């Protein structure tokens, strides 16, 4: 399935490892001070990371492809997208546009035996384009990948621009992929493509969380409503870019972007509906731009987020009374909620067990931009939030795209500005 | 000579302050860091859904900001750009255009 490999890099890039060591504000409580290490910099829109136990870090760049940083700091470029030339292998069908491109990456739970990694990427192999989940084998030297198999080929991709904010092609593309440590299945988060038919569709895989095995088949025990694609675990989502699992219970928890209001954190219920349905001519609405009401009643001017939420709720419990209820709604604001990951370990003191949630920042209609990491004390069942604080990360404000816990227990944070940081407690 | 100098100064004062400020890159840099960098990136390379500004000339930046300031919709991010441009003065636009066209990489 791979096109011919291109020229190999002459030598591996030595990744920068600049320790900045800016202490965060001291705390009277049992909260650690933080220092940061810039693990990689000069990247182009780094999107996700996945670790092996020895610290090997796979990472994606949205318009470039998949690379790996070895424990000694060397970097190997493995799978490049259309237009790249320094990757061991290039796949010209892998394309990027707008928010789409190469997004999530995950390593197989049995990597030691099968050397398998997975990525989520837009592809033009099908017409129209789709998002795919690719499975590949990494060679023993970590210098190349082979045996590409597309285990999911039919995740919708937004093919053309529409009359909406962020309305370019490739929008609302989801893209996080994670294995559950509890059930061993791969969870795949998708987006609604600014297409109102997608979130509640029983067949279209956008606006969903899929739960599949390593061949892309439906996980045993998925319970979507009758007539739904059996790969669907939950539906009725807008654009899910974060998923993690409670360290004590395995409860899957997602973050979901809000439309000018109400970023959400949701605990997933097998077969559940998240209640997003932006179709026109229903729930008190009339016609909408390009048949998508997601930013109504007014998609271009600022207005009270509460009024927006009443008119076009992210979780429409009037239409769908059984919809999954969000544990948290970011005080009714939309600020680009992205990745989520639990902090675990005694070294984190009072923060042990807190959910880190990244925000990329969107300043619209009087809403503060809000670039930050929140530390959220969420119940084990994921249904309620006890406390929300801001994590005093040394790098300050940035477009926090991805947060992943490394094998050392430290969170690694990718920012759109082009760096991946490691945060260490002192 | 005095007359000539007076004439030069008077002419300069009569010209739009935006023109006088066109080379004030440092003011543009400060405003860029405050108002633009969060989306377009610290060096103007663009990020995510937000386009690159590096490589754009001053005329382009000025024209876009003036159109956004006038409330004109230009592209899919207009909803974000129009409110950001509403309160910009001619000086602000000239300073930003100078900084972005000459410094942002």
């Amino acid at each position: 399935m791979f096109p011919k490999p291109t020229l190999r890099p002459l030598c591996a890039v030595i990744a920068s490892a600049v320790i900045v060591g800016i202490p965060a504000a001291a705390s009277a409580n049992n909260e650690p001070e933080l220092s940061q290490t810039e693990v990689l910099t000069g990247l182009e829109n780094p999107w996700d990371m996945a670790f092996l136990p020895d610290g090997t870090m796979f990472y994606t760049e949205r318009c470039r492809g998949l690379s790996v940083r070895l424990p000694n700091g060397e970097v190997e470029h493995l799978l490049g997208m259309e237009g790249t030339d320094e990757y061991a292998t290039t796949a010209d069908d892998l394309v990027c546009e707008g928010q789409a491109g190469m997004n999530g990456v995950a390593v197989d739970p049995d990597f030691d035996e099968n050397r398998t990694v997975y990525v989520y990427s837009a592809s033009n192999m099908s017409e129209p384009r789709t998002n795919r989940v690719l499975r590949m084998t990494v060679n023993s030297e970590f210098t190349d990948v082979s045996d590409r198999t597309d285990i999911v080929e039919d995740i919708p991709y937004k093919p053309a621009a529409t009359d909406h904010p962020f309305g370019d092609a490739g929008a609302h593309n989801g893209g996080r992929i994670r294995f559950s440590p509890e059930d061993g299945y791969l969870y795949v988060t998708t987006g609604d493509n600014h297409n109102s038919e997608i979130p509640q569709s029983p067949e279209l895989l956008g606006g969903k969380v899929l739960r599949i095995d390593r061949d892309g088949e439906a996980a045993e025990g998925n319970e979507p409503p009758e007539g739904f694609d059996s790969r669907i675990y939950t539906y009725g989502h807008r654009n899910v870019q974060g998923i993690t699992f409670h360290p004590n219970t395995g409860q899957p928890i997602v973050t979901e972007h809000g439309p000018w209001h109400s970023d959400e954190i949701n605990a997933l219920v097998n077969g559940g509906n998240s209640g997003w349905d932006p179709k026109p001519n229903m729930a008190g609405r009339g016609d909408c731009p390009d048949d998508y009401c997601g930013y109504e009643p007014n998609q271009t001017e600022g207005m009270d987020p509460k009024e927006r939420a009443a008119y076009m709720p992210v979780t429409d419990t009037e239409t769908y009374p059984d919809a999954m209820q969000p544990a948290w709604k970011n005080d009714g604001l939309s600020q680009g909620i992205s990745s989520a990951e639990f902090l675990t370990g005694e070294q984190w003191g009072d923060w042990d067990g807190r959910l880190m949630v990244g925000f990329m920042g969107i300043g619209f209609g009087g809403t503060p931009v809000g670039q930050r990491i929140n530390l959220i004390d969420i119940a084990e069942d994921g249904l309620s939030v006890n406390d929300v604080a801001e994590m005093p990360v040394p790098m300050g404000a940035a477009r926090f795209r991805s947060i992943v816990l490394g094998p050392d227990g430290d969170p690694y944070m990718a920012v759109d500005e082009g760096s991946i940081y490691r945060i260490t407690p002192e | 000579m005095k007359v000539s100098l007076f004439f030069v100064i008077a002419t300069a004062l009569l010209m739009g302050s935006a023109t006088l400020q066109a080379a004030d890159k440092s003011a543009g840099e400060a405003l860029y860091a405050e108002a633009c960098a969060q989306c377009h990136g610290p060096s103007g390379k663009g990020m995510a859904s937000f386009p690159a500004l590096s490589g754009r000339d001053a005329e382009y930046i000025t024209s876009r900001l003036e159109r956004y300031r006038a409330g004109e919709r230009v592209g899919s991010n207009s909803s974000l750009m129009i409110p950001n441009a509403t309160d910009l003065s001619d000086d602000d636009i000239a300073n930003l255009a100078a900084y972005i066209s000459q410094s942002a990489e």
Side-chain angles (χ1 to χ4, degrees), chain B residues 1-17 19-20:
Chain B
M1 190 64 182
K2 282 180 182 175
V3 171
S4 303
L5 182 59
F6 174 77
F7 179 75
V8 169
I9 294 170
T11 304
L13 288 172
L14 285 170
M15 290 168 66
S17 56
T19 307
L20 281 179

Side-chain angles (χ1 to χ4, degrees), chain A residues 34-75:
Chain A
L34 303 176
S35 65
Q36 74 182 25
T37 306
E38 195 171 45
V39 177
L40 289 170
T41 192
L43 306 178
E44 291 184 23
N45 289 292
W47 213 92
D48 202 12
M49 301 81 80
F51 288 89
L52 299 178
D54 68 354
T56 298
M57 180 180 77
F58 294 92
Y59 65 93
T60 57
E61 293 170 271
R62 186 169 48 81
C63 291
R64 287 172 50 77
L66 174 70
S67 301
V68 62
R69 179 185 184 273
L70 302 172
N72 65 7
E74 293 183 354
V75 167

Side-chain angles (χ1 to χ4, degrees), chain A residues 342 350 352-355 375-379 384-389:
Chain A
F342 281 95
D350 290 347
D352 184 9
R354 295 292 176 95
L355 180 67
L375 288 167
I376 295 185
D377 182 0
I378 191 167
S384 59
V385 161
N386 303 313
D387 185 57
V388 179

Side-chain angles (χ1 to χ4, degrees), chain A residues 164-250:
Chain A
H164 301 109
F166 304 109
D168 292 337
H172 285 201
N173 201 58
R176 203 69 65 184
I177 59 175
R178 291 287 182 271
F179 278 98
S180 162
E182 183 77 9
D183 62 28
Y185 288 119
L186 184 64
Y187 289 64
V188 180
T189 74
T190 69
D192 75 5
N193 299 180
H194 287 146
N195 178 340
S196 63
E197 291 298 323
I198 283 182
Q200 298 290 328
S201 165
E203 295 160 353
L204 299 170
L205 297 184
K208 309 291 191 300
V209 176
L210 314 179
R211 189 172 70 141
I212 55 176
D213 67 16
R214 291 177 252 188
D215 294 319
E217 301 296 328
E220 207 171 299
N222 283 354
E223 298 174 345
E226 189 174 347
F228 275 53
D229 189 304
S230 59
R231 293 170 291 181
I232 294 171
Y233 186 68
T234 56
Y235 65 105
H237 296 285
R238 182 173 181 272
N239 189 21
V240 179
Q241 279 201 1
I243 183 166
T244 189
F245 305 90
H246 195 285
N248 297 338
T249 63

Side-chain angles (χ1 to χ4, degrees), chain A residues 95-173:
Chain A
V95 290
C96 82
E97 185 166 7
Q99 298 167 9
M102 190 175 288
N103 301 127
V105 57
V107 297
D108 193 286
D110 298 317
F111 183 89
D112 281 353
E113 287 82 50
N114 61 26
R115 304 194 63 81
T116 301
V117 297
Y118 305 78
V119 296
Y120 179 111
S121 182
S123 164
N124 64 16
M125 195 176 291
S126 309
E127 177 60 38
R129 292 178 176 184
T130 60
N131 289 292
R132 293 167 172 248
V133 179
L134 282 56
R135 186 183 70 197
M136 296 165 290
T137 306
V138 183
N139 68 4
S140 58
E141 295 83 24
F142 289 94
T143 55
D144 203 352
V145 289
S146 59
D147 306 327
R148 169 179 164 182
T149 302
D150 295 3
I151 63 171
V152 183
E153 301 178 339
D154 52 348
I155 298 168
Y157 166 96
K158 184 180 178 184
T162 56
D163 178 17
H164 301 109
F166 304 109
D168 292 337
H172 285 201
N173 201 58

Side-chain angles (χ1 to χ4, degrees), chain A residues 213-426:
Chain A
D213 67 16
R214 291 177 252 188
D215 294 319
E217 301 296 328
E220 207 171 299
N222 283 354
E223 298 174 345
E226 189 174 347
F228 275 53
D229 189 304
S230 59
R231 293 170 291 181
I232 294 171
Y233 186 68
T234 56
Y235 65 105
H237 296 285
R238 182 173 181 272
N239 189 21
V240 179
Q241 279 201 1
I243 183 166
T244 189
F245 305 90
H246 195 285
N248 297 338
T249 63
Q251 169 66 48
I253 292 169
V254 298
T255 56
E256 185 157 2
H257 289 278
W260 292 162
H261 67 86
S262 308
D263 289 328
E264 286 190 353
I265 295 175
N266 281 285
L268 299 184
V269 176
N270 190 355
N273 183 356
S274 201
W276 175 245
D277 190 352
K279 284 198 283 289
N281 301 303
M282 61 166 282
R285 299 185 296 272
D287 292 337
C288 297
D290 288 332
D291 291 329
Y292 179 87
C293 303
Y295 298 92
E296 295 302 300
N298 165 12
Q299 65 179 19
T300 59
E301 304 287 338
M303 66 182 289
D304 183 353
K306 287 180 184 167
E307 285 184 51
R308 292 185 176 282
Y311 188 85
M312 183 63 250
V314 178
T315 304
D316 183 354
T317 50
E318 285 195 24
T319 307
Y320 304 105
D322 296 331
M324 299 179 287
Q325 294 285 335
W328 188 68
K329 296 193 284 189
N330 189 24
D331 297 327
L333 302 180
S334 168
Q335 296 173 309
I337 197 168
S338 52
S339 187
E341 179 78 295
F342 281 95
L343 268 180
T344 55
E346 292 179 357
Q347 71 273 30
W348 296 105
D350 290 347
W351 296 343
D352 184 9
R354 295 292 176 95
L355 180 67
M356 293 175 288
V357 176
F359 291 83
M360 297 180 288
I362 300 176
F364 172 75
T367 294
V369 174
Q371 295 177 320
R372 67 190 187 277
I373 305 287
N374 271 359
L375 288 167
I376 295 185
D377 182 0
I378 191 167
E380 285 197 349
D381 60 10
L383 296 178
S384 59
V385 161
N386 303 313
D387 185 57
V388 179
E390 187 168 336
M391 190 175 192
V393 286
M395 82 283 277
R399 286 183 57 80
F400 294 102
R401 175 68 64 175
S402 180
I403 308 172
V404 179
L405 212 60
D408 41 33
D410 291 348
Y412 288 70
M413 300 179 177
V415 299
D416 282 352
E417 285 82 351
S419 298
I420 297 175
Y421 296 96
R422 173 184 177 183
I423 304 296
T424 306
E426 298 295 333

